[in-house]
Amino acid sequence: MRDSVAAEKLSERDKKHLWHPLTQHKTSPEMLAIARAEGALLFDEDGKKYVDGIASWYTCMYGHCNPYILDRVKKQMDTLDQVVFSGFTHEPAIKLSEELIKILPRNQEKLFFSDNGSTSTEIGIKMALQYHYNKGKKRNVLLAFEEGFHGDTFGAMSVSGLSVYNGPFEDFFIEVERIPVPTTENLDEILNRLKERLQQNNIAGFIYEPLVQGAAAMKMHGAEGLDQILALLQKHEVLTIADEVMTGFGKTGKYFASDHLRHQPDIICLSKALTAGLVPMGLTTCTEKVYNAFYSDEVAKGLFHGHTYTANPLACTAALAAVELLQTDEIQQNIKNIIGWHQDFNKIIKDHPKVKETRQTGVIYALDLNVQMERYGSLRNKLFEHFMGQGVFLRPLGQTIYILAPFITTKEQMERIYEAIEKALEIV
Amino acid sequence: MRDSVAAEKLSERDKKHLWHPLTQHKTSPEMLAIARAEGALLFDEDGKKYVDGIASWYTCMYGHCNPYILDRVKKQMDTLDQVVFSGFTHEPAIKLSEELIKILPRNQEKLFFSDNGSTSTEIGIKMALQYHYNKGKKRNVLLAFEEGFHGDTFGAMSVSGLSVYNGPFEDFFIEVERIPVPTTENLDEILNRLKERLQQNNIAGFIYEPLVQGAAAMKMHGAEGLDQILALLQKHEVLTIADEVMTGFGKTGKYFASDHLRHQPDIICLSKALTAGLVPMGLTTCTEKVYNAFYSDEVAKGLFHGHTYTANPLACTAALAAVELLQTDEIQQNIKNIIGWHQDFNKIIKDHPKVKETRQTGVIYALDLNVQMERYGSLRNKLFEHFMGQGVFLRPLGQTIYILAPFITTKEQMERIYEAIEKALEIV
């Protein structure tokens, strides 16, 4: 009996009890079973290999099962697995804080841990709301970009302008006001409208994905317009919350997307590549000014938020090893190489008749097809199947194809991705 | 320079950049640095040892750094660390689903993964809301227990009746209606009021901690009243959501608190002991009936919720090893032993003049002191310091002292906890 179960394919056994995220199981019933992973490669249960062109949702930037990271985490597992982080502390969290502070934008001083990107933005929002509350000011409006995406819990969903199938939950959202992403054309209007709006003195915080909006299909905007918006908001004591869950840790060519700007955020949200694809962790960092608004003889002015596994020692150890790798000459050189390869590929592909637009920020490269597609529609699925057939894991977002491969991807592996994209243009 | 940093105590280095959860740093500036852990013991940076009397927030139930679990997770780390769980699957998630289904209440059929307890309840709430929405029914009210606690993200905070310092966020809460926890005295009134209320046909779901309300200081209620409430709600197609984040996995003497009831929930939320204290993971399970409401040719009827590390292979591997351990004769016998030891201790302590009330469900034992205390006040801190001085980690919740030690705690270790509690009664 057990043998017959073991002989059944994983992809079949999957169907019995698993409900997958972001999936309509009736129209997309098949899940490919991945058996192992190494570097930039995934291997399915039949042994077929795939280049992980999106680093498993932008997490495994130093490669899957990186031995440098694994060795460190295995040692930590033998020492301390988990302890309550309220009243207690431990070396992995302390060392990580010391090393992260060195590479974070210089105004960041304090770190508040949680478990994923959604919780990191919820905490950012709570910091902004309570900051004003603790100062005795009633500010109960949040500002966000149209088409921003900040997570799937209720607070995070509320600030996300990109609402794919959010219908059932809209009655339960926090009220949020939105502004368009700045362009050279609309910037003056945005600033003028904001100046007027700010007279009401009730905007607590502004949450934004700096430079690249990931879930909106890697939409990109320049630093200059965003900088002017941040300057205006900070003048009116609106706390600025940079959601760098996707953009953080080297992907934009600098350590953080905020490093491209002159005005640094009050709060930064991090996750994904933070732990190098090993285990989940979220992190919300902030300035001394934000922290000080909570530091008080009144207990109630503290931030009474906490998840059980906050600052899990294994996750902190993975993150510390990742921060070390990020700063090595090897990884920094690889990042430069990938940026150059994308630029060369772009020259070849950008004028293709099926290509509407291309864009690049650091190692993030995206192209929009000249074809209308639904976000979860059949043409999108056909493209996905094409890429997998070519041994390349890319995950088209509607009509957008994008690459966000691990920093350790070789030139040969990246060329396999480029070729698969060129072939894709023939079938759409 | 590096040596001088290394020589500084961890508890001092902690103060520079770390913002701890549920902490007012000005009134509680000292964090104890834990260097290692083994079985039921924690060791601080000076080598002093403590019995982990609350299993690091009810997670490490099989003991810290359990070699059976570590070996399995280390092997998994060398094979597959992480892969997107949308479109893909993997053996650790599949095996875990197959084994969990065998011990979950029999009506549970599908598993939806996330990263912590808050996300597991947010997903339960979203399932309940969208279930009715997908059937074309407008049901936009949630029901919850007074003093329930379900997490710290906005959706989870909204359903939590226990609002410690939630002032800054209350304008942003989902509207929730509350009922008291049932007692023999109030049950008829609760049922009568509910019957009338249900005529409006707009309650989507009811979220509750079955039998033991953890954050409300281990308040306990009987199965009979809850069973009658569940029966009435299910008759009116209100989805019942059991938050077993704290009570799950053997703590009540059965695998799940819901196993003590005749009426099984439509949805169950799990986390904490799920991964045996190794890494964070959340899980929301549900019946075929719930799942079928999302299974459709219309893509939009799917549950478009997803976290990046959903069903992380390392977390699934830890959880699978934990589910195996839970079912061993050794752990089941240890659970029975602990239940007996608590009962014996209770006979000694329950009539002490400083003791107002004692209660026990499975391995969860709680006593209320005959003394008024603030939840985060100075007497509470004095008690905490007393316990730590005695080499016992207990975390009083206001005037309640409770024990929820690992299943592998020895009789000698448990007696150390009992003695520390007896001594505590002399100092309050």
Side-chain angles (χ1 to χ4, degrees), chain B residues 371-389:
Chain B
V371 183
Q372 275 303 324
M373 285 162 67
E374 277 178 56
R375 192 174 177 95
Y376 295 94
S378 62
L379 184 52
R380 182 264 170 210
N381 289 347
K382 185 182 163 191
L383 263 182
F384 176 77
E385 293 305 329
H386 158 78
F387 288 126
M388 295 303 290

mmCIF file of all heavy atoms in Angstrom, chain B residues 371-389:
data_model
loop_
_atom_site.group_PDB
_atom_site.id
_atom_site.type_symbol
_atom_site.label_atom_id
_atom_site.label_comp_id
_atom_site.label_asym_id
_atom_site.label_seq_id
_atom_site.Cartn_x
_atom_site.Cartn_y
_atom_site.Cartn_z
ATOM 1 N N VAL B 371 -4.721 39.129 43.462
ATOM 2 C CA VAL B 371 -4.042 40.424 43.495
ATOM 3 C C VAL B 371 -4.330 41.121 42.168
ATOM 4 O O VAL B 371 -4.245 40.488 41.114
ATOM 5 C CB VAL B 371 -2.509 40.223 43.621
ATOM 6 C CG1 VAL B 371 -1.797 41.559 43.734
ATOM 7 C CG2 VAL B 371 -2.167 39.319 44.785
ATOM 8 N N GLN B 372 -4.663 42.396 42.213
ATOM 9 C CA GLN B 372 -4.869 43.117 40.958
ATOM 10 C C GLN B 372 -3.524 43.535 40.369
ATOM 11 O O GLN B 372 -2.657 44.043 41.068
ATOM 12 C CB GLN B 372 -5.744 44.362 41.176
ATOM 13 C CG GLN B 372 -7.236 44.050 41.133
ATOM 14 C CD GLN B 372 -7.684 43.386 39.847
ATOM 15 O OE1 GLN B 372 -7.189 43.677 38.761
ATOM 16 N NE2 GLN B 372 -8.598 42.425 39.953
ATOM 17 N N MET B 373 -3.354 43.280 39.067
ATOM 18 C CA MET B 373 -2.089 43.644 38.400
ATOM 19 C C MET B 373 -2.380 44.165 37.014
ATOM 20 O O MET B 373 -3.262 43.673 36.327
ATOM 21 C CB MET B 373 -1.211 42.399 38.244
ATOM 22 C CG MET B 373 -0.556 41.946 39.527
ATOM 23 S SD MET B 373 -0.006 40.245 39.381
ATOM 24 C CE MET B 373 1.291 40.412 38.176
ATOM 25 N N GLU B 374 -1.566 45.133 36.588
ATOM 26 C CA GLU B 374 -1.685 45.580 35.198
ATOM 27 C C GLU B 374 -0.974 44.591 34.288
ATOM 28 O O GLU B 374 0.026 43.997 34.669
ATOM 29 C CB GLU B 374 -1.049 46.958 35.027
ATOM 30 C CG GLU B 374 -1.966 48.089 35.425
ATOM 31 C CD GLU B 374 -1.254 49.418 35.283
ATOM 32 O OE1 GLU B 374 -0.776 49.698 34.163
ATOM 33 O OE2 GLU B 374 -1.156 50.142 36.285
ATOM 34 N N ARG B 375 -1.511 44.472 33.052
ATOM 35 C CA ARG B 375 -0.974 43.489 32.116
ATOM 36 C C ARG B 375 0.530 43.670 31.893
ATOM 37 O O ARG B 375 1.274 42.715 31.824
ATOM 38 C CB ARG B 375 -1.706 43.612 30.776
ATOM 39 C CG ARG B 375 -1.429 42.440 29.840
ATOM 40 C CD ARG B 375 -2.287 42.542 28.583
ATOM 41 N NE ARG B 375 -1.980 41.486 27.652
ATOM 42 C CZ ARG B 375 -2.640 40.334 27.559
ATOM 43 N NH1 ARG B 375 -3.644 40.093 28.346
ATOM 44 N NH2 ARG B 375 -2.284 39.429 26.668
ATOM 45 N N TYR B 376 0.978 44.916 31.783
ATOM 46 C CA TYR B 376 2.394 45.176 31.594
ATOM 47 C C TYR B 376 2.950 46.034 32.736
ATOM 48 O O TYR B 376 3.842 46.836 32.551
ATOM 49 C CB TYR B 376 2.641 45.863 30.235
ATOM 50 C CG TYR B 376 2.308 44.994 29.050
ATOM 51 C CD1 TYR B 376 1.055 45.051 28.447
ATOM 52 C CD2 TYR B 376 3.252 44.110 28.529
ATOM 53 C CE1 TYR B 376 0.745 44.237 27.363
ATOM 54 C CE2 TYR B 376 2.949 43.295 27.446
ATOM 55 C CZ TYR B 376 1.700 43.373 26.871
ATOM 56 O OH TYR B 376 1.396 42.568 25.799
ATOM 57 N N GLY B 377 2.388 45.826 33.936
ATOM 58 C CA GLY B 377 2.731 46.678 35.067
ATOM 59 C C GLY B 377 3.934 46.195 35.864
ATOM 60 O O GLY B 377 4.556 45.185 35.526
ATOM 61 N N SER B 378 4.249 46.888 36.975
ATOM 62 C CA SER B 378 5.489 46.620 37.703
ATOM 63 C C SER B 378 5.412 45.334 38.522
ATOM 64 O O SER B 378 6.401 44.625 38.664
ATOM 65 C CB SER B 378 5.837 47.804 38.606
ATOM 66 O OG SER B 378 4.817 47.974 39.566
ATOM 67 N N LEU B 379 4.233 44.978 39.075
ATOM 68 C CA LEU B 379 4.126 43.734 39.837
ATOM 69 C C LEU B 379 4.307 42.541 38.905
ATOM 70 O O LEU B 379 4.977 41.557 39.245
ATOM 71 C CB LEU B 379 2.774 43.654 40.560
ATOM 72 C CG LEU B 379 2.595 42.423 41.473
ATOM 73 C CD1 LEU B 379 3.750 42.250 42.453
ATOM 74 C CD2 LEU B 379 1.263 42.482 42.218
ATOM 75 N N ARG B 380 3.747 42.652 37.707
ATOM 76 C CA ARG B 380 3.929 41.620 36.690
ATOM 77 C C ARG B 380 5.423 41.461 36.401
ATOM 78 O O ARG B 380 5.948 40.337 36.312
ATOM 79 C CB ARG B 380 3.150 41.999 35.428
ATOM 80 C CG ARG B 380 3.212 40.992 34.298
ATOM 81 C CD ARG B 380 4.307 41.386 33.320
ATOM 82 N NE ARG B 380 4.545 40.325 32.352
ATOM 83 C CZ ARG B 380 5.725 40.110 31.789
ATOM 84 N NH1 ARG B 380 6.767 40.851 32.108
ATOM 85 N NH2 ARG B 380 5.861 39.157 30.908
ATOM 86 N N ASN B 381 6.136 42.580 36.253
ATOM 87 C CA ASN B 381 7.574 42.516 35.974
ATOM 88 C C ASN B 381 8.339 41.915 37.151
ATOM 89 O O ASN B 381 9.299 41.166 36.949
ATOM 90 C CB ASN B 381 8.113 43.916 35.652
ATOM 91 C CG ASN B 381 7.625 44.404 34.297
ATOM 92 O OD1 ASN B 381 7.084 43.620 33.499
ATOM 93 N ND2 ASN B 381 7.796 45.689 34.025
ATOM 94 N N LYS B 382 7.901 42.237 38.372
ATOM 95 C CA LYS B 382 8.550 41.675 39.559
ATOM 96 C C LYS B 382 8.405 40.151 39.580
ATOM 97 O O LYS B 382 9.362 39.418 39.880
ATOM 98 C CB LYS B 382 7.909 42.287 40.816
ATOM 99 C CG LYS B 382 8.569 41.875 42.122
ATOM 100 C CD LYS B 382 7.829 42.494 43.319
ATOM 101 C CE LYS B 382 8.195 41.781 44.616
ATOM 102 N NZ LYS B 382 7.309 42.180 45.721
ATOM 103 N N LEU B 383 7.201 39.678 39.263
ATOM 104 C CA LEU B 383 6.955 38.236 39.197
ATOM 105 C C LEU B 383 7.844 37.573 38.141
ATOM 106 O O LEU B 383 8.444 36.526 38.376
ATOM 107 C CB LEU B 383 5.493 37.970 38.825
ATOM 108 C CG LEU B 383 4.510 37.676 39.947
ATOM 109 C CD1 LEU B 383 3.133 37.390 39.357
ATOM 110 C CD2 LEU B 383 4.976 36.524 40.813
ATOM 111 N N PHE B 384 7.908 38.211 36.970
ATOM 112 C CA PHE B 384 8.743 37.685 35.877
ATOM 113 C C PHE B 384 10.193 37.562 36.349
ATOM 114 O O PHE B 384 10.833 36.525 36.162
ATOM 115 C CB PHE B 384 8.625 38.606 34.654
ATOM 116 C CG PHE B 384 9.506 38.205 33.504
ATOM 117 C CD1 PHE B 384 9.173 37.136 32.683
ATOM 118 C CD2 PHE B 384 10.684 38.905 33.242
ATOM 119 C CE1 PHE B 384 9.991 36.758 31.625
ATOM 120 C CE2 PHE B 384 11.508 38.535 32.187
ATOM 121 C CZ PHE B 384 11.164 37.461 31.380
ATOM 122 N N GLU B 385 10.699 38.612 37.002
ATOM 123 C CA GLU B 385 12.076 38.592 37.496
ATOM 124 C C GLU B 385 12.269 37.495 38.539
ATOM 125 O O GLU B 385 13.306 36.825 38.571
ATOM 126 C CB GLU B 385 12.455 39.962 38.098
ATOM 127 C CG GLU B 385 12.535 41.107 37.092
ATOM 128 C CD GLU B 385 13.477 40.818 35.931
ATOM 129 O OE1 GLU B 385 14.471 40.089 36.126
ATOM 130 O OE2 GLU B 385 13.203 41.297 34.814
ATOM 131 N N HIS B 386 11.265 37.315 39.399
ATOM 132 C CA HIS B 386 11.330 36.242 40.405
ATOM 133 C C HIS B 386 11.518 34.888 39.725
ATOM 134 O O HIS B 386 12.396 34.109 40.090
ATOM 135 C CB HIS B 386 10.062 36.238 41.253
ATOM 136 C CG HIS B 386 9.793 34.913 41.915
ATOM 137 N ND1 HIS B 386 10.467 34.488 43.042
ATOM 138 C CD2 HIS B 386 8.947 33.894 41.579
ATOM 139 C CE1 HIS B 386 10.051 33.280 43.377
ATOM 140 N NE2 HIS B 386 9.128 32.894 42.512
ATOM 141 N N PHE B 387 10.689 34.625 38.716
ATOM 142 C CA PHE B 387 10.767 33.329 38.038
ATOM 143 C C PHE B 387 12.139 33.136 37.378
ATOM 144 O O PHE B 387 12.741 32.071 37.489
ATOM 145 C CB PHE B 387 9.646 33.182 37.010
ATOM 146 C CG PHE B 387 8.294 32.977 37.623
ATOM 147 C CD1 PHE B 387 7.223 33.802 37.292
ATOM 148 C CD2 PHE B 387 8.091 31.962 38.548
ATOM 149 C CE1 PHE B 387 5.981 33.615 37.871
ATOM 150 C CE2 PHE B 387 6.837 31.756 39.132
ATOM 151 C CZ PHE B 387 5.783 32.599 38.798
ATOM 152 N N MET B 388 12.608 34.173 36.701
ATOM 153 C CA MET B 388 13.908 34.056 36.028
ATOM 154 C C MET B 388 15.006 33.814 37.067
ATOM 155 O O MET B 388 15.921 33.019 36.837
ATOM 156 C CB MET B 388 14.201 35.316 35.204
ATOM 157 C CG MET B 388 13.239 35.551 34.043
ATOM 158 S SD MET B 388 13.125 34.188 32.855
ATOM 159 C CE MET B 388 14.728 34.303 32.072
ATOM 160 N N GLY B 389 14.896 34.488 38.205
ATOM 161 C CA GLY B 389 15.866 34.274 39.276
ATOM 162 C C GLY B 389 15.874 32.826 39.749
ATOM 163 O O GLY B 389 16.915 32.286 40.135
#
